[in-house]
Amino acid sequence: MIPGGSSVPVVPAEIIMEANMDYDSLRNAGSAVGAGSVIVMDETTDMVKALERLSYFYFEESCGQCTPCREGTGWLYRIIRRVNLGRGTMDDLDTLLDVANRIEGRTICALGDAAAWPVQSFLKHYRHEFEAKIRAGQARAA
Ligand code: SF4
């Protein structure tokens, strides 16, 4: 579940089911109230594909004024797309976190953080899905 719209960290069911929908509880759960626009995904959701879609949104919405966001959102989107298409490598996952960490807190407006947090949280909680997609792609190419 993403409790506050796409710009706040995703939280797995086992954590969010124990949380209340208030500022302190969601902060303790590792996310935020944000815009309050709750996104719920079930076990059939492809989390790599979901993150690709979110990253494309922030890539498209970046106004380009500050370098970390202008360049970083494009890098995030392109790498996640590559992983989703089965052409990624395990190193790509570390690069994604590196890029997201270089955007977070280094931009003029909140869109930079909003682009970084989904990437950080998806990889924190669902890294195994990204790794599985990479391994499947490598197996097809072998
Ligand atoms: S962080 Fe905000 S101001 Fe900076 S490039 Fe992104 S959208 Fe523009």
Side-chain angles (χ1 to χ4, degrees):
M1 173 179 165
I2 308 178
S6 68
S7 62
V8 304
V10 67
V11 185
E14 60 271 21
I15 297 176
I16 205 68
M17 290 298 281
E18 300 299 320
N20 294 322
M21 189 71 178
D22 61 54
Y23 288 94
D24 290 340
S25 298
L26 291 179
R27 189 179 60 234
N28 291 338
S31 192
V33 172
S37 31
V38 175
I39 300 171
V40 178
M41 295 168 276
D42 69 11
E43 69 280 2
T44 66
T45 302
D46 179 333
M47 297 305 274
V48 183
K49 193 172 178 182
L51 185 60
E52 181 192 330
R53 183 64 188 86
L54 295 180
S55 297
Y56 182 69
F57 171 76
Y58 290 106
F59 168 56
E60 281 290 308
E61 288 298 310
S62 174
C63 77
Q65 191 175 352
C66 37
T67 306
C69 176
R70 182 184 64 241
E71 301 298 324
T73 53
W75 278 103
L76 292 176
Y77 168 62
R78 287 188 296 272
I79 295 171
I80 296 164
R81 178 165 174 73
R82 186 164 72 216
V83 171
N84 189 37
L85 290 173
R87 297 194 215 115
T89 67
M90 294 299 176
D91 287 345
D92 282 340
L93 304 184
D94 294 329
T95 303
L96 280 172
L97 285 177
D98 187 40
V99 174
N101 291 342
R102 288 170 193 270
I103 298 172
E104 183 186 22
R106 294 185 168 88
T107 57
I108 296 171
C109 84
L111 192 133
D113 287 347
W117 288 342
V119 173
Q120 294 165 335
S121 60
F122 271 65
L123 281 170
K124 176 181 177 184
H125 295 297
Y126 300 100
R127 191 179 179 110
H128 58 284
E129 292 199 25
F130 290 76
E131 291 175 348
K133 196 156 272 196
I134 290 167
R135 277 195 293 271
Q138 290 172 339
R140 279 196 302 275

